[in-house]
Amino acid sequence: MSALTVRDLTKKFGPVEVLKGIDLEIGTGEFIVLVGPSGCGKSTLLNIIAGLERQSSGMIEIGGRVVNDVAPKDRDIAMVFQSYALYPSMTVRQNITFGMECRHEPKSKQDAAVADVARLLQIERLLGRKPSQLSGGQRQRVAIGRALVRNPLLFLFDEPLSNLDAKLRVEMRMEIKRLHQRIGATIVYVTHDQIEAMTMATRIAVMHRGQVQQFADPDTVYRYPANLFVARFMGSPPMNTMRARLEAGNGGPVAVIGAGRPDEVRIHLQRYDAAASFVDREVVFGIRPECIAESSRMFTGAAPIIVSAPVEMVEPTGAETIVLLRLGGEAAMARITPDLRPTPGACADFALDTRRICLFDPETERLIT
Amino acid sequence: MRKLSFEPSRVLIYLVVSLLAAAYLAPLVVVVLNSFRSNQEIAQASMIGWPKQWAWSNYAAAWSGFCVAETCTGIRPYMLNSALVTIPATIISTMLGAVAGYAVSLWRFRGDSWIYGIVTLGLFLPQQMRLLPWTVVLRDIGLINTLTGLVLVHTIQGLSFTTLFCRNYYAAVPHELIRAARIDGAGFFRIFWRIILPLSSPILIVTVIWQFTHIWNEFLYGVTFTTGQQQPVTAALIALSAAIADIPQHGVQSAAVLIAALPTLLVYFFGGRYFVRGLTAGAVK
């Protein structure tokens, strides 16, 4: 059964079209992350799914029921907000039971539900406190508890971790993922953080300018980004993209970066038949930073191509060294082993993993192969 | 300990400030002193002077004995009138303003900013302009010369201010709070009652103090829409001075003025710090 179906959904604020025909089909038990830069329409989409805002046109179905004109409280959803939105004058217990109180559920049922949720989230000790007496992580836990107690068809999360500090964010990220695995709920989760998207989602919907750019599982989004926007948005540091010229070669095309320059880089591509029609044309050449490494690196399955390139800058992060270099005059980032620190200004040899290179059409910006 | 410095410029500043303060307070001092002086004493000496004997009888006379417009009850019934107008009008206008401010700040509906604009426009209309329309309204609904009529006028005229203040306070309430409550299934009034109102005490104290002071001290509506026994104390005080125009009774008059001013002074003394605190109270976290 599909838990949520969104069909041809649009939203206009006056003359501004913030959502331009969104289509999503989400199965029961999926963890969907809507990710995109601020202003891409992801929060608006979530609010429309929740019923807090009205769509301009299109259809929304939750659990097989069309809910276009159904009030938020009757959509069988629960939502967790960025600011937690805990009711300041109520205790944690009252915060959790407020929804049930509104639905006139008996006190005994409320108490049992609070006890269950409090045990699950380990917030039993906090039940008598006010939100102002809680830390950020505790508040977020209570906000999640308030959603869980509803036991809805659909959970909506609106950037729930953005107000937490980095360490806590990682902890809560794992906790939410664990929670999802444990209770098997269907979740739609909005974030601008692509790492949250990669780590938690079963499928990611990458949004930009009111449209879904790609809707696929994290590996596909990462390895085969549908277009240049997705390629540059997902991943940290993002995919290196540079202009290149495709030439015919033995057993496959050759990508030439900085064609005609003395330092031009020629990369022989194998199994890139789909690019045949782009031979002798310009393409955008995309390579992930982790596919450029120190020259001694062995990539499994294929012998790397070794290129010599000038190093511009070195950023040691501890776990690895990020190197800003020039390939055929174009800037690129490489992730090399932390032990190596190439000298800026000098040339160094790098190994290129050519199996995961992406080629994009420079006009449509779509993935060729 | 800090050394006391006697710089000439500082002395000058204090001198000027003290003179201004004295000038500002002089009328109050004269009224307070006169309220303790007998009539003969004021008549024989002058309006300004120290009481030879402290005459408390002025207060008793002003409170319950003196004759105003042919009835000798002092200002007591008029104080009661003022209370009967001020207390309900303060409470009702504050509550309505809180609901209205909540609606225009935290709910989106067609024409919300227009409604807010029109309501607050009331702040800028001169009081005299409203007299005639109100006279017609009160006459038509049969509430002219009644305390209920005054309650109505003050409640509605007070809405501009109470709505303005509450709206600005509620503007700091995060909208996500309302969204969360809507998903929980709470409606307009439940959200107000359970979530917004418990956050509102700072601003409610401000509006109550403001409304109480203004309605109690209000004169023009009182003197226009009521006569005789129905007048609030501010209007009655004028009748009092008219009644004693022939034989000046400055002692009683001063005492009456001070009694009439007492409720708002008490509100100021006990609530003043909440007033300032409430005005500067910011976001609700």
Side-chain angles (χ1 to χ4, degrees), chain A residues 104-132:
Chain A
H104 306 290
E105 289 185 14
K107 193 84 179 66
S108 57
K109 199 176 161 192
Q110 294 185 17
D111 291 342
V114 170
D116 279 351
V117 166
R119 199 176 323 114
L120 184 68
L121 295 171
Q122 295 163 356
I123 51 173
E124 287 121 320
R125 290 177 305 107
L126 311 176
L127 288 176
R129 293 202 201 162
K130 293 276 178 68
S132 57

mmCIF file of all heavy atoms in Angstrom, chain A residues 104-132:
data_model
loop_
_atom_site.group_PDB
_atom_site.id
_atom_site.type_symbol
_atom_site.label_atom_id
_atom_site.label_comp_id
_atom_site.label_asym_id
_atom_site.label_seq_id
_atom_site.Cartn_x
_atom_site.Cartn_y
_atom_site.Cartn_z
ATOM 1 N N HIS A 104 -10.289 13.786 23.119
ATOM 2 C CA HIS A 104 -11.132 13.281 24.208
ATOM 3 C C HIS A 104 -10.906 11.796 24.464
ATOM 4 O O HIS A 104 -11.843 11.036 24.629
ATOM 5 C CB HIS A 104 -12.616 13.529 23.911
ATOM 6 C CG HIS A 104 -12.896 14.969 23.611
ATOM 7 N ND1 HIS A 104 -12.830 15.954 24.571
ATOM 8 C CD2 HIS A 104 -13.219 15.585 22.462
ATOM 9 C CE1 HIS A 104 -13.097 17.128 24.018
ATOM 10 N NE2 HIS A 104 -13.334 16.929 22.733
ATOM 11 N N GLU A 105 -9.630 11.398 24.487
ATOM 12 C CA GLU A 105 -9.358 10.003 24.800
ATOM 13 C C GLU A 105 -9.299 9.827 26.314
ATOM 14 O O GLU A 105 -8.899 10.740 27.029
ATOM 15 C CB GLU A 105 -8.042 9.570 24.136
ATOM 16 C CG GLU A 105 -8.213 9.460 22.633
ATOM 17 C CD GLU A 105 -6.997 8.924 21.918
ATOM 18 O OE1 GLU A 105 -6.102 8.393 22.589
ATOM 19 O OE2 GLU A 105 -6.961 9.037 20.677
ATOM 20 N N PRO A 106 -9.704 8.659 26.817
ATOM 21 C CA PRO A 106 -9.790 8.471 28.283
ATOM 22 C C PRO A 106 -8.422 8.583 28.945
ATOM 23 O O PRO A 106 -7.396 8.269 28.350
ATOM 24 C CB PRO A 106 -10.360 7.056 28.427
ATOM 25 C CG PRO A 106 -10.160 6.406 27.102
ATOM 26 C CD PRO A 106 -10.181 7.494 26.074
ATOM 27 N N LYS A 107 -8.466 9.039 30.200
ATOM 28 C CA LYS A 107 -7.251 9.298 30.966
ATOM 29 C C LYS A 107 -6.372 8.055 31.069
ATOM 30 O O LYS A 107 -5.148 8.150 30.973
ATOM 31 C CB LYS A 107 -7.661 9.773 32.368
ATOM 32 C CG LYS A 107 -6.540 10.369 33.184
ATOM 33 C CD LYS A 107 -6.340 11.835 32.854
ATOM 34 C CE LYS A 107 -5.242 12.452 33.694
ATOM 35 N NZ LYS A 107 -3.900 11.894 33.420
ATOM 36 N N SER A 108 -6.989 6.903 31.247
ATOM 37 C CA SER A 108 -6.211 5.677 31.436
ATOM 38 C C SER A 108 -5.401 5.381 30.167
ATOM 39 O O SER A 108 -4.230 4.986 30.240
ATOM 40 C CB SER A 108 -7.143 4.509 31.745
ATOM 41 O OG SER A 108 -8.098 4.363 30.708
ATOM 42 N N LYS A 109 -6.016 5.616 29.007
ATOM 43 C CA LYS A 109 -5.328 5.368 27.743
ATOM 44 C C LYS A 109 -4.166 6.353 27.576
ATOM 45 O O LYS A 109 -3.082 5.989 27.120
ATOM 46 C CB LYS A 109 -6.334 5.524 26.599
ATOM 47 C CG LYS A 109 -5.891 4.856 25.313
ATOM 48 C CD LYS A 109 -6.959 4.952 24.250
ATOM 49 C CE LYS A 109 -6.368 4.712 22.873
ATOM 50 N NZ LYS A 109 -7.310 5.067 21.800
ATOM 51 N N GLN A 110 -4.424 7.617 27.981
ATOM 52 C CA GLN A 110 -3.374 8.639 27.902
ATOM 53 C C GLN A 110 -2.169 8.230 28.739
ATOM 54 O O GLN A 110 -1.026 8.292 28.282
ATOM 55 C CB GLN A 110 -3.894 9.987 28.389
ATOM 56 C CG GLN A 110 -4.967 10.593 27.518
ATOM 57 C CD GLN A 110 -5.361 11.989 28.003
ATOM 58 O OE1 GLN A 110 -4.658 12.620 28.768
ATOM 59 N NE2 GLN A 110 -6.503 12.466 27.548
ATOM 60 N N ASP A 111 -2.448 7.796 29.977
ATOM 61 C CA ASP A 111 -1.354 7.435 30.881
ATOM 62 C C ASP A 111 -0.538 6.279 30.325
ATOM 63 O O ASP A 111 0.692 6.284 30.376
ATOM 64 C CB ASP A 111 -1.917 7.076 32.264
ATOM 65 C CG ASP A 111 -2.467 8.304 32.965
ATOM 66 O OD1 ASP A 111 -2.099 9.422 32.540
ATOM 67 O OD2 ASP A 111 -3.260 8.155 33.906
ATOM 68 N N ALA A 112 -1.244 5.284 29.783
ATOM 69 C CA ALA A 112 -0.547 4.118 29.230
ATOM 70 C C ALA A 112 0.323 4.529 28.050
ATOM 71 O O ALA A 112 1.485 4.108 27.942
ATOM 72 C CB ALA A 112 -1.574 3.071 28.792
ATOM 73 N N ALA A 113 -0.205 5.411 27.191
ATOM 74 C CA ALA A 113 0.537 5.839 26.005
ATOM 75 C C ALA A 113 1.778 6.635 26.408
ATOM 76 O O ALA A 113 2.862 6.445 25.845
ATOM 77 C CB ALA A 113 -0.369 6.667 25.102
ATOM 78 N N VAL A 114 1.620 7.528 27.388
ATOM 79 C CA VAL A 114 2.765 8.317 27.857
ATOM 80 C C VAL A 114 3.835 7.391 28.414
ATOM 81 O O VAL A 114 5.025 7.542 28.112
ATOM 82 C CB VAL A 114 2.330 9.340 28.931
ATOM 83 C CG1 VAL A 114 3.556 9.977 29.568
ATOM 84 C CG2 VAL A 114 1.445 10.399 28.326
ATOM 85 N N ALA A 115 3.419 6.410 29.187
ATOM 86 C CA ALA A 115 4.381 5.487 29.793
ATOM 87 C C ALA A 115 5.164 4.750 28.706
ATOM 88 O O ALA A 115 6.387 4.628 28.788
ATOM 89 C CB ALA A 115 3.641 4.497 30.697
ATOM 90 N N ASP A 116 4.468 4.288 27.684
ATOM 91 C CA ASP A 116 5.125 3.572 26.583
ATOM 92 C C ASP A 116 6.167 4.442 25.902
ATOM 93 O O ASP A 116 7.326 4.044 25.725
ATOM 94 C CB ASP A 116 4.084 3.160 25.524
ATOM 95 C CG ASP A 116 3.351 1.905 25.948
ATOM 96 O OD1 ASP A 116 3.782 1.307 26.958
ATOM 97 O OD2 ASP A 116 2.376 1.543 25.283
ATOM 98 N N VAL A 117 5.722 5.630 25.506
ATOM 99 C CA VAL A 117 6.597 6.522 24.749
ATOM 100 C C VAL A 117 7.780 6.976 25.604
ATOM 101 O O VAL A 117 8.914 7.034 25.127
ATOM 102 C CB VAL A 117 5.789 7.733 24.239
ATOM 103 C CG1 VAL A 117 6.727 8.823 23.760
ATOM 104 C CG2 VAL A 117 4.871 7.307 23.116
ATOM 105 N N ALA A 118 7.512 7.259 26.865
ATOM 106 C CA ALA A 118 8.572 7.731 27.751
ATOM 107 C C ALA A 118 9.635 6.660 27.906
ATOM 108 O O ALA A 118 10.830 6.952 27.935
ATOM 109 C CB ALA A 118 7.992 8.113 29.108
ATOM 110 N N ARG A 119 9.207 5.395 27.980
ATOM 111 C CA ARG A 119 10.164 4.305 28.112
ATOM 112 C C ARG A 119 10.979 4.187 26.828
ATOM 113 O O ARG A 119 12.197 4.092 26.855
ATOM 114 C CB ARG A 119 9.431 2.999 28.408
ATOM 115 C CG ARG A 119 10.353 1.932 29.005
ATOM 116 C CD ARG A 119 9.601 0.658 29.379
ATOM 117 N NE ARG A 119 8.283 0.881 29.923
ATOM 118 C CZ ARG A 119 7.155 0.498 29.305
ATOM 119 N NH1 ARG A 119 7.207 -0.097 28.135
ATOM 120 N NH2 ARG A 119 5.978 0.721 29.864
ATOM 121 N N LEU A 120 10.286 4.245 25.687
ATOM 122 C CA LEU A 120 10.955 4.105 24.391
ATOM 123 C C LEU A 120 12.030 5.175 24.201
ATOM 124 O O LEU A 120 13.125 4.897 23.725
ATOM 125 C CB LEU A 120 9.912 4.197 23.275
ATOM 126 C CG LEU A 120 10.406 3.975 21.855
ATOM 127 C CD1 LEU A 120 10.837 2.530 21.662
ATOM 128 C CD2 LEU A 120 9.323 4.332 20.843
ATOM 129 N N LEU A 121 11.715 6.409 24.609
ATOM 130 C CA LEU A 121 12.637 7.522 24.367
ATOM 131 C C LEU A 121 13.485 7.847 25.592
ATOM 132 O O LEU A 121 14.272 8.790 25.575
ATOM 133 C CB LEU A 121 11.864 8.768 23.943
ATOM 134 C CG LEU A 121 11.135 8.664 22.612
ATOM 135 C CD1 LEU A 121 10.242 9.859 22.416
ATOM 136 C CD2 LEU A 121 12.124 8.567 21.470
ATOM 137 N N GLN A 122 13.306 7.095 26.651
ATOM 138 C CA GLN A 122 14.030 7.313 27.910
ATOM 139 C C GLN A 122 13.872 8.740 28.419
ATOM 140 O O GLN A 122 14.848 9.446 28.681
ATOM 141 C CB GLN A 122 15.511 6.967 27.729
ATOM 142 C CG GLN A 122 15.692 5.488 27.452
ATOM 143 C CD GLN A 122 17.040 5.160 26.878
ATOM 144 O OE1 GLN A 122 17.839 6.041 26.609
ATOM 145 N NE2 GLN A 122 17.303 3.892 26.669
ATOM 146 N N ILE A 123 12.632 9.162 28.525
ATOM 147 C CA ILE A 123 12.377 10.506 29.065
ATOM 148 C C ILE A 123 11.487 10.414 30.299
ATOM 149 O O ILE A 123 10.852 11.394 30.691
ATOM 150 C CB ILE A 123 11.723 11.434 28.008
ATOM 151 C CG1 ILE A 123 10.502 10.765 27.382
ATOM 152 C CG2 ILE A 123 12.714 11.850 26.948
ATOM 153 C CD1 ILE A 123 9.715 11.679 26.467
ATOM 154 N N GLU A 124 11.458 9.254 30.942
ATOM 155 C CA GLU A 124 10.578 9.079 32.116
ATOM 156 C C GLU A 124 10.856 10.125 33.186
ATOM 157 O O GLU A 124 9.936 10.658 33.787
ATOM 158 C CB GLU A 124 10.768 7.677 32.723
ATOM 159 C CG GLU A 124 10.157 6.567 31.893
ATOM 160 C CD GLU A 124 11.190 5.551 31.472
ATOM 161 O OE1 GLU A 124 12.316 5.984 31.115
ATOM 162 O OE2 GLU A 124 10.881 4.345 31.488
ATOM 163 N N ARG A 125 12.141 10.420 33.408
ATOM 164 C CA ARG A 125 12.499 11.351 34.479
ATOM 165 C C ARG A 125 12.051 12.786 34.175
ATOM 166 O O ARG A 125 11.986 13.614 35.045
ATOM 167 C CB ARG A 125 14.015 11.366 34.694
ATOM 168 C CG ARG A 125 14.572 10.106 35.299
ATOM 169 C CD ARG A 125 16.085 10.177 35.401
ATOM 170 N NE ARG A 125 16.705 10.473 34.113
ATOM 171 C CZ ARG A 125 17.244 11.639 33.799
ATOM 172 N NH1 ARG A 125 17.257 12.621 34.667
ATOM 173 N NH2 ARG A 125 17.777 11.830 32.598
ATOM 174 N N LEU A 126 11.780 13.058 32.907
ATOM 175 C CA LEU A 126 11.509 14.445 32.511
ATOM 176 C C LEU A 126 10.023 14.781 32.501
ATOM 177 O O LEU A 126 9.657 15.933 32.276
ATOM 178 C CB LEU A 126 12.077 14.713 31.107
ATOM 179 C CG LEU A 126 13.519 14.294 30.862
ATOM 180 C CD1 LEU A 126 13.896 14.539 29.412
ATOM 181 C CD2 LEU A 126 14.452 15.070 31.777
ATOM 182 N N LEU A 127 9.162 13.801 32.736
ATOM 183 C CA LEU A 127 7.736 14.002 32.482
ATOM 184 C C LEU A 127 7.133 15.177 33.243
ATOM 185 O O LEU A 127 6.194 15.816 32.776
ATOM 186 C CB LEU A 127 6.950 12.726 32.810
ATOM 187 C CG LEU A 127 7.157 11.594 31.806
ATOM 188 C CD1 LEU A 127 6.440 10.331 32.252
ATOM 189 C CD2 LEU A 127 6.669 12.010 30.425
ATOM 190 N N GLY A 128 7.678 15.477 34.432
ATOM 191 C CA GLY A 128 7.095 16.547 35.239
ATOM 192 C C GLY A 128 7.679 17.919 34.942
ATOM 193 O O GLY A 128 7.252 18.913 35.522
ATOM 194 N N ARG A 129 8.676 17.980 34.043
ATOM 195 C CA ARG A 129 9.354 19.261 33.821
ATOM 196 C C ARG A 129 8.687 20.090 32.744
ATOM 197 O O ARG A 129 7.954 19.586 31.908
ATOM 198 C CB ARG A 129 10.797 19.007 33.394
ATOM 199 C CG ARG A 129 11.622 18.385 34.486
ATOM 200 C CD ARG A 129 13.069 18.659 34.227
ATOM 201 N NE ARG A 129 13.897 17.691 34.950
ATOM 202 C CZ ARG A 129 15.161 17.459 34.653
ATOM 203 N NH1 ARG A 129 15.720 18.106 33.639
ATOM 204 N NH2 ARG A 129 15.861 16.598 35.344
ATOM 205 N N LYS A 130 9.010 21.385 32.774
ATOM 206 C CA LYS A 130 8.559 22.291 31.712
ATOM 207 C C LYS A 130 9.624 22.302 30.605
ATOM 208 O O LYS A 130 10.803 22.074 30.885
ATOM 209 C CB LYS A 130 8.408 23.717 32.272
ATOM 210 C CG LYS A 130 7.282 23.874 33.287
ATOM 211 C CD LYS A 130 5.951 24.095 32.593
ATOM 212 C CE LYS A 130 4.792 24.218 33.555
ATOM 213 N NZ LYS A 130 4.824 25.435 34.368
ATOM 214 N N PRO A 131 9.227 22.628 29.380
ATOM 215 C CA PRO A 131 10.212 22.654 28.275
ATOM 216 C C PRO A 131 11.428 23.534 28.558
ATOM 217 O O PRO A 131 12.537 23.201 28.159
ATOM 218 C CB PRO A 131 9.396 23.203 27.109
ATOM 219 C CG PRO A 131 8.003 22.789 27.406
ATOM 220 C CD PRO A 131 7.864 22.829 28.903
ATOM 221 N N SER A 132 11.220 24.647 29.289
ATOM 222 C CA SER A 132 12.343 25.550 29.536
ATOM 223 C C SER A 132 13.394 24.911 30.431
ATOM 224 O O SER A 132 14.517 25.401 30.519
ATOM 225 C CB SER A 132 11.835 26.846 30.174
ATOM 226 O OG SER A 132 11.133 26.548 31.352
#
